[in-house]
Amino acid sequence: MPKGQPESVPDDGLTTRQRRNRPLVMVHTGDGKGKSTAAFGLALRGWNQGWNVAVFQFVKSAKWRLGEQTAFEALAGLHAEKGVGGPVEWHKMGSGWSWSRKAGTEDDHAADAVEGWAEIKRRIAAQEHDLYLLDEFTYPVNWGWIDVDDVVETLRGRPGHQHVVITGRRAHPAILEAADLVTEMTKVRHPMDAGQKGQRGIEW
Amino acid sequence: MPKGQPESVPDDGLTTRQRRNRPLVMVHTGDGKGKSTAAFGLALRGWNQGWNVAVFQFVKSAKWRLGEQTAFEALAGLHAEKGVGGPVEWHKMGSGWSWSRKAGTEDDHAADAVEGWAEIKRRIAAQEHDLYLLDEFTYPVNWGWIDVDDVVETLRGRPGHQHVVITGRRAHPAILEAADLVTEMTKVRHPMDAGQKGQRGIEW
């Protein structure tokens, strides 16, 4: 979408430049396809700007690997070798997180989710990244594993200039309220409705 | 989204494998953010599968450059040098297309759009790519520059195994009808509503 004009100008004491560069909380929710893919597309833009990007996938299976992970590892390699774009870290919950030295907690996804969020909070406080992509993060919040008030407080109070993208169905109302941008991906038609299973290159 | 089970199995004489690998027409429409970014995220998956990917951006300005273009050029370079992923071509309408030898038709975007579609048709007939990303393609169709019946006939009759993704607001009903997958990106909240202009890394 080309650069547009805002529909109204708020009385917030900020200059247009300050307002333009305000860091954002973005949420992609809804039952339709494209929540994660749009977040990864956004991460491509961040990479191109030289941003320090960190992806945290709140998925249960370590076996599940998206094509995007391979692509971003390649782009991170280009950054390391040639200095183009920015660095990208990719962390996946699976059974335990990559930074964790403990053995996989195969049977305690709740504990893994809590640990993941604690690490993200630590990094936000330390301003470690320019863009945090919390993929499928709505689920551990909705299941009560991660405290939604803590999430909202952390997002609202985050220091510096850090963007956050959250994906997943049924985003909690408090998170929607804290977001600057919310897009709902609505399913109009999906091949699975016509009996077609997911396929390589499309679903992963 | 993980591999799911289809809701019903159609009586179409295809095996599950044949049905799974059926090439798709996908449409990302609606007023919300994420139509193009999700399409580019999908193209990342295709790249990772080694697909031959071609992007056709139906934008009016050649100056408009998305971060994704730089990222995909880098990924295409990795394919050329190291054989990882697939090849990616990126064509932008602007004033004239990159394959065209004629001078930019600065003032005739309709003619440019028609030329772009003719080239895409030619490539589809020749089965040149695995994934065609027709970005912002709904507009020249809706403006009557490109004949929607011709588009639908070409999509329905395309040979071999070619996926097509179309993005843009207000997709024509005939195109929606021809699509296997339609996602509507609905704007729930956007920073521009709060007086914030688009920013680097987020909007481009």
Side-chain angles (χ1 to χ4, degrees):
Chain A
M1 193 171 52
K3 300 169 228 193
Q5 290 299 319
E7 288 171 14
S8 67
V9 176
D11 183 25
D12 56 8
L14 297 176
T15 65
T16 300
R17 187 186 179 86
Q18 287 169 327
R19 201 178 299 114
R20 162 169 286 195
N21 290 319
R22 200 172 49 184
L24 302 174
V25 172
M26 293 162 275
V27 177
H28 297 169
T29 192
D31 291 338
K33 189 160 155 52
K35 296 183 287 295
S36 297
T37 38
F40 294 122
L42 201 64
L44 273 187
R45 293 187 183 165
W47 175 85
N48 180 56
Q49 294 294 338
W51 289 359
N52 184 318
V53 175
V55 176
F56 301 86
Q57 278 193 287
F58 283 79
V59 289
K60 286 188 199 172
S61 168
K63 289 181 203 149
W64 182 259
R65 187 185 176 85
L66 291 174
E68 289 93 327
Q69 182 176 351
T70 306
F72 276 105
E73 284 166 358
L75 290 169
L78 274 176
H79 172 73
E81 282 170 37
K82 301 184 180 175
V84 298
V88 184
E89 285 184 31
W90 194 290
H91 300 290
K92 199 160 44 176
M93 197 169 87
S95 46
W97 292 89
S98 43
W99 61 71
S100 179
R101 276 170 305 175
K102 68 176 180 179
T105 48
E106 194 75 59
D107 296 322
D108 196 350
H109 296 306
D112 291 339
V114 167
E115 185 192 335
W117 170 243
E119 176 70 14
I120 291 162
K121 262 183 84 168
R122 193 191 64 69
R123 292 180 183 217
I124 287 176
Q127 301 184 49
E128 287 196 12
H129 305 288
D130 301 305
L131 175 65
Y132 297 76
L133 201 170
L134 313 189
D135 191 39
E136 316 251 14
F137 184 66
T138 58
Y139 305 105
V141 171
N142 288 348
W143 295 328
W145 295 349
I146 296 173
D147 179 43
V148 70
D149 294 333
D150 186 30
V151 171
V152 167
E153 195 179 317
T154 302
L155 292 177
R156 287 199 197 273
R158 71 195 190 285
H161 194 273
Q162 306 180 84
H163 299 287
V164 181
V165 191
I166 292 171
T167 79
R169 294 180 185 210
R170 294 177 292 284
H172 193 289
I175 290 179
L176 294 180
E177 185 57 38
D180 302 287
L181 184 146
V182 178
T183 301
E184 179 160 341
M185 276 67 173
T186 309
K187 186 184 82 165
V188 177
R189 189 177 306 139
H190 194 286
M192 284 185 200
D193 300 340
Q196 185 164 9
K197 289 189 177 183
Q199 62 182 298
R200 200 178 290 275
I202 302 293
E203 299 286 342
W204 66 89
Chain B
M1 194 170 48
K3 298 169 230 193
Q5 289 299 319
E7 288 170 14
S8 66
V9 176
D11 182 25
D12 55 10
L14 296 176
T15 66
T16 299
R17 187 187 179 85
Q18 288 170 325
R19 201 178 298 114
R20 163 170 284 194
N21 291 318
R22 201 172 48 184
L24 302 175
V25 172
M26 292 162 276
V27 176
H28 297 169
T29 192
D31 292 337
K33 189 161 155 51
K35 297 182 286 296
S36 296
T37 38
F40 293 123
L42 201 65
L44 273 187
R45 294 186 183 165
W47 175 84
N48 180 56
Q49 294 294 339
W51 288 359
N52 184 319
V53 175
V55 176
F56 301 86
Q57 278 193 286
F58 284 78
V59 289
K60 286 189 198 171
S61 168
K63 290 183 200 146
W64 182 258
R65 186 186 177 84
L66 290 175
E68 289 94 326
Q69 183 176 352
T70 306
F72 276 104
E73 284 167 359
L75 290 170
L78 275 176
H79 173 73
E81 282 171 38
K82 301 183 181 175
V84 297
V88 184
E89 285 185 31
W90 193 290
H91 300 289
K92 198 158 47 175
M93 196 170 87
S95 46
W97 293 88
S98 43
W99 61 70
S100 179
R101 276 171 305 174
K102 69 176 180 180
T105 50
E106 195 76 58
D107 297 321
D108 196 350
H109 297 306
D112 291 338
V114 167
E115 186 193 336
W117 170 243
E119 176 69 14
I120 292 162
K121 262 184 83 169
R122 194 191 62 70
R123 292 181 183 217
I124 287 176
Q127 302 185 48
E128 288 196 11
H129 305 287
D130 301 305
L131 175 65
Y132 298 76
L133 201 170
L134 313 189
D135 191 39
E136 315 251 13
F137 185 65
T138 59
Y139 305 104
V141 171
N142 288 349
W143 295 328
W145 295 350
I146 296 173
D147 179 43
V148 70
D149 294 332
D150 186 30
V151 171
V152 168
E153 195 178 317
T154 302
L155 292 177
R156 288 199 196 272
R158 72 194 189 287
H161 195 273
Q162 306 180 84
H163 299 287
V164 181
V165 191
I166 293 171
T167 79
R169 295 181 185 208
R170 293 177 292 284
H172 193 288
I175 290 180
L176 293 180
E177 187 55 39
D180 302 285
L181 184 147
V182 178
T183 302
E184 179 160 340
M185 276 67 172
T186 308
K187 186 184 80 167
V188 177
R189 189 178 305 138
H190 195 285
M192 284 184 198
D193 301 338
Q196 185 165 8
K197 288 190 177 182
Q199 64 181 298
R200 200 177 288 276
I202 301 293
E203 298 286 343
W204 65 91

